[in-house]
Amino acid sequence: MTVIEARALRKEFVVRVKAGVLRRESRVIAAVDGIDLTVSRGDMLGYIGPNGAGKSTTLKMLTGVLYPSSGVVRVCGFEPVPQRQALARRIGVVFGHRSQLWWDLPLRDSFALLRHIYAVPAADHAARLSRCRKLLDLDPFLDTPVRQLSLGQRMRGELTAALLHGPEVLFLDEPTIGLDLVSKQAVRSFLAGIGDAGDTTLVLTTHDLADIERLCRRLVVIDRGRIVHDGSLDELHARYGSRRRVVVDLDAPLVTPLALPDVSVESIEADGRRITYALEGGRTTAGELVRRLAELASIRDISVLEPAIEDVVARLYADRDRHGAGA
Amino acid sequence: MASGGWCSRVDSRWLTAYGPLVRAQVRSQAQYRASFVIDVAGSVLFGVLDVVAVFVLFRVSKTLAGFTFADVFLMTALANCAFAIADLLVGNVERLRVYVRSGLLDAVLVRPLGVLTQLAVMDVAARRVGRVVVAVGVLIVAAVNAGLALTAARLVLLVVAPAAGAVIFSAVFVGTASVAFWWIESGELGNALTYGGHDFTAYPMPIYGTVFRRLLAYGLGFAFVAYYPALALLDRRDPLGAPAGLGYASPLVAALVAAAAGLCWRRGVRHYRSTGS
Amino acid sequence: MRYLVYAVAGFRRYATYRQATLAAVFTNCVFGFLRSALLLAVAGASAGAVAGYDEQQLATFVWVGQGLIGVVSLWSPPELADRIRSGDVVADLLRPIDLVWQLLAMDLGRATFALMTRLVGPIVVGALAFDLFAPRRFSTYPLFACSLLLATVICFGCRYLVNAAAYWLLDARGPQIAWTLCNGVLGGLYFPLWFLPSGAALLIVVATPFPSIIQLPLDILVERGSPEQQVVLLSVQAVWAIVMLAVCREVQRRGERRLVLQGG
């Protein structure tokens, strides 16, 4: 079942640029430049891209904060802006860098207020709250005013607040930004649990690629307002040539270099006693590489490095900068 | 579009949410007990101050544009009452530009309630209740002091006029706050018409220059907050030549001004959603 | 020399708030129309003069007064209090320069910009719409200039003290409200203080700093009284300026000590 559907979604902003002492020129900039997106129920979608790529703008159009310049968008069957209030009851939104909680109230009171705002039946509210309390370990600070919470505690509160009305879609804008490692892990495993349950759709924007690796089955990469990749993480690796690496420590440097198809030497360190091979394509496996290497030298240690999504994305963004410089 | 909030139908969900929201505000403000007490005291003092100003002016002058102290006191009391009620209900919307800048408005837009109502209760300052109580008390004193010949119609007007005035001021609060949707850097521009409007309505209209008076008294309906109702209550003729009993038209004027402000607000919200500011 | 740098920074900073300045001047002008209509009506009912002011003087009192609000920055937001509460003030204290002098220098820079915009705006509009009073004695101009400077310093001191309350109070709204009330009523903004019984007015002028911010500079400008009396008013301001700065220094010293002892 489709929960989010966007066709040729576009958002233009008019930017006034200084052109002389008093003259200003208006320039139209497309922050989102024709996006097609279909998200099914239960999807866990990571929406990534460099700063200013149009992530937040898209999210705002999906949640009813911004009206698209053109294109069609339906979320849970609603047209976001005209049917804002109806939609609001079906979605949850967490903004990483702004709070939706009541600053001076204890979390407990904020949650009680949200029950009234969303008109949630008391039993449903209590059940969802007690689940969140357990999973997010809210009890130690449930009676503390929000302003006194640490960022990690606050974010756990925000997540709860966004889920109390049982939303079908949960939008998360940078949910782990600024959190320490422990809090990040807590947030991630909580979200993973929601995703695994399968009935809530997750859409998350992030700069933290560990979020993506942990949470997202599907990855949409947006750049300059357009989708440049839509698929699984593996597909992204395949497409942007991410490599697995095999690092070997040898007792002595190799006398004759090893030549195998699809294997390249990425670096040689420690006077030739540490070599990093990159595997690209499928003609040589890591096992084969090691077996052939063992014939040539005595191996002290081996490690295999899985491709890091950071590398892929860094390469993607670097491409952008190179091309972007002329634009 | 239900999102305008202002003129949209009031649904029961809103009513059930409103009570808890207001209670929560009071509770969160009561945490800072000392500040709360000072806030209440301050708002009461500001309310009293407007009356003191009238006293001081009449200390150095016996009449003002032909009106006696009792007449002007009644106008000031009516204006004060209307303003205090409006300030309590929607005064917080003047913070709209802060909310736009901080992005809080986005959070408001993803909740299933009207935008304006949410903003209005976001900081329902309980302290403002103090000012309303004082204003009502002062109005009663002013009415007694003026020795009104109270007919049934005038008694109704004495209650309706502050309410209509409150609607006019509320409209001005909302209308001027809407400017922030287009112009975030507008600073305290709105104060000119909100707090300025309060000062303007507190005195008889003939004291103002013609152009200025036409703009504010009739253009924005400010003459119907206190001046015309006071004339009707006092059974006095308008030196400017308006027909007698014009004060009874206040609710009508209030409805018009409110409709205009509602339109501004809706356009503003729509503008925000198409530009995102 | 380094204080000059801060003053320039203050000037530059406010020079970037062009739109807000415009909006503020507009608001000042609306209040200018309101207040001058009211005071002129009062004067009109008393044969053209009231409490020693004629109509021209009253109009000038109102319009220049609206300009003064911006110059002394009567209603600026409690920035320092926010910095104290958030702990950011520590960064200021790390600099090898006294915080009070640093802020004062920046404020004087700001006031210089306001002089050219916030003061000039209402005066031009007021002069177009009303008969304003032009000082008859040349000596009034330098006296008024000094008076403006002292008023800015005194107002800075008051604002600083209100903000510094945040060193001790979690929420500085109380002092803020008290300050707004006092500068409005006792400063001469709502009505010239001399509308009050003269004993009361005199007491307020001498015993509180508030009249020194709005009322006294305006009295000097509209030449209320003889040149000697102008000088007396100026001396009252000077005494208050010195007192305020001394108090500010002491409060800052104690505030810093509290910050050090309690770690904010």
Side-chain angles (χ1 to χ4, degrees), chain A residues 191-239:
Chain A
L191 291 175
I194 291 174
D196 291 341
D199 43 0
T200 310
T201 309
L202 283 183
V203 176
L204 103 131
T205 74
T206 185
H207 275 112
D208 192 327
L209 300 167
D211 291 347
I212 301 279
E213 283 186 320
R214 177 85 169 80
L215 291 174
C216 300
R217 295 189 273 264
R218 181 175 162 200
L219 198 58
V220 171
V221 183
I222 178 174
D223 186 22
R224 276 166 291 170
R226 291 165 188 267
I227 290 177
V228 293
H229 174 83
D230 183 354
S232 69
L233 198 53
D234 291 341
E235 284 164 7
L236 184 73
H237 283 312
R239 189 161 148 207

Side-chain angles (χ1 to χ4, degrees), chain B residues 64-65 200 203-209 213, chain C residues 34 36-42:
Chain B
L64 200 58
F200 181 83
Y203 295 97
M205 295 300 121
I207 70 168
Y208 301 111
R213 180 175 63 224
Chain C
L34 282 170
S36 46
L38 183 59
L39 292 189
L40 290 180
V42 169

Side-chain angles (χ1 to χ4, degrees), chain A residues 25-297:
Chain A
E25 274 175 8
S26 296
R27 215 179 283 167
V28 176
I29 289 175
V32 172
D33 191 5
I35 277 183
D36 295 310
L37 193 64
T38 309
V39 181
S40 309
R41 189 184 173 94
D43 255 359
M44 295 178 84
L45 182 85
Y47 198 58
I48 66 170
N51 288 329
K55 299 188 297 280
S56 290
T57 308
T58 312
L59 222 58
K60 283 181 180 176
M61 284 193 282
L62 295 180
T63 50
V65 173
L66 273 186
Y67 205 86
S69 304
S70 65
V72 183
V73 58
R74 288 277 181 287
V75 178
C76 302
F78 294 112
E79 201 182 329
V81 169
Q83 297 173 292
R84 178 182 74 80
Q85 296 200 20
L87 176 67
R89 280 134 81 60
R90 309 276 287 272
I91 61 171
V93 186
V94 173
F95 296 112
H97 21 231
R98 56 189 75 129
S99 181
Q100 305 199 63
L101 300 166
W102 281 262
W103 202 237
D104 289 321
L105 291 184
L107 272 182
R108 190 191 293 280
D109 295 15
S110 282
F111 296 153
L113 266 178
L114 288 166
R115 181 173 89 72
H116 291 289
I117 290 178
Y118 286 89
V120 184
D124 294 355
H125 177 84
R128 289 182 195 128
L129 181 56
S130 76
R131 206 175 98 88
C132 287
R133 275 167 68 172
K134 206 172 80 216
L135 291 174
L136 287 167
D137 195 19
L138 300 177
D139 286 353
F141 50 90
L142 207 51
D143 290 302
T144 314
V146 171
R147 70 186 131 86
Q148 289 170 10
L149 297 182
S150 73
L151 193 56
Q153 291 171 331
R154 208 201 77 204
M155 188 48 67
R156 286 186 265 168
E158 302 273 359
L159 283 173
T160 308
L163 287 166
L164 285 175
H165 54 287
E168 290 164 37
V169 190
L170 185 58
F171 292 95
L172 303 139
D173 193 6
E174 308 258 3
T176 57
I177 196 161
L179 299 187
D180 61 65
L181 272 177
V182 178
S183 301
K184 276 185 182 175
Q185 297 290 4
V187 168
R188 277 177 205 142
S189 60
F190 177 73
L191 291 175
I194 291 174
D196 291 341
D199 43 0
T200 310
T201 309
L202 283 183
V203 176
L204 103 131
T205 74
T206 185
H207 275 112
D208 192 327
L209 300 167
D211 291 347
I212 301 279
E213 283 186 320
R214 177 85 169 80
L215 291 174
C216 300
R217 295 189 273 264
R218 181 175 162 200
L219 198 58
V220 171
V221 183
I222 178 174
D223 186 22
R224 276 166 291 170
R226 291 165 188 267
I227 290 177
V228 293
H229 174 83
D230 183 354
S232 69
L233 198 53
D234 291 341
E235 284 164 7
L236 184 73
H237 283 312
R239 189 161 148 207
Y240 287 92
S242 24
R243 324 147 175 218
R244 289 175 86 195
R245 292 183 182 76
V246 177
V247 184
V248 289
D249 285 326
L250 306 174
D251 281 331
L254 278 182
V255 184
T256 48
L258 184 67
L260 286 168
D262 287 349
V263 173
S264 55
V265 175
E266 204 169 77
S267 69
I268 300 178
E269 293 159 88
D271 299 329
R273 286 193 303 260
R274 166 174 286 187
I275 307 177
T276 305
Y277 292 101
L279 298 170
E280 215 165 340
R283 284 187 286 170
T284 307
T285 63
E288 199 177 340
L289 169 69
V290 174
R291 202 173 57 242
R292 294 290 298 275
L293 205 60
E295 292 166 6
L296 295 173

Side-chain angles (χ1 to χ4, degrees), chain C residues 160 168 248-258:
Chain C
Y160 169 83
W168 291 272
C248 287
R249 282 293 303 120
E250 179 60 19
V251 164
Q252 176 62 23
R253 202 178 57 76
R254 295 194 181 192
E256 281 175 29
R257 201 170 59 197
R258 185 182 157 88

Side-chain angles (χ1 to χ4, degrees), chain A residues 11-13 60 63-69 80-82 84-86 88-89 91 93 95 98-106 109 112-114 116-119 145 147, chain B residues 1-3 8 11 13 16-17 20-21 23-25 27-29 31-32 102-115 118 122 270 272-277:
Chain A
K11 181 72 204 175
E12 291 167 352
F13 291 113
K60 283 181 180 176
T63 50
V65 173
L66 273 186
Y67 205 86
S69 304
V81 169
R84 178 182 74 80
Q85 296 200 20
R89 280 134 81 60
I91 61 171
V93 186
F95 296 112
R98 56 189 75 129
S99 181
Q100 305 199 63
L101 300 166
W102 281 262
W103 202 237
D104 289 321
L105 291 184
D109 295 15
L113 266 178
L114 288 166
H116 291 289
I117 290 178
Y118 286 89
R147 70 186 131 86
Chain B
M1 191 162 115
S3 57
S8 65
D11 59 72
R13 183 157 33 87
T16 49
L21 271 173
R23 272 202 300 281
Q25 280 304 327
R27 223 172 326 140
S28 71
Q29 284 175 20
Q31 278 180 44
Y32 306 95
S102 70
L104 198 76
L105 197 64
D106 294 351
V108 163
L109 282 168
V110 298
R111 286 207 184 120
L113 294 177
V115 178
Q118 285 191 70
M122 198 165 277
R270 206 169 303 164
Y272 176 79
R273 313 190 109 160
S274 58
T275 58
S277 291

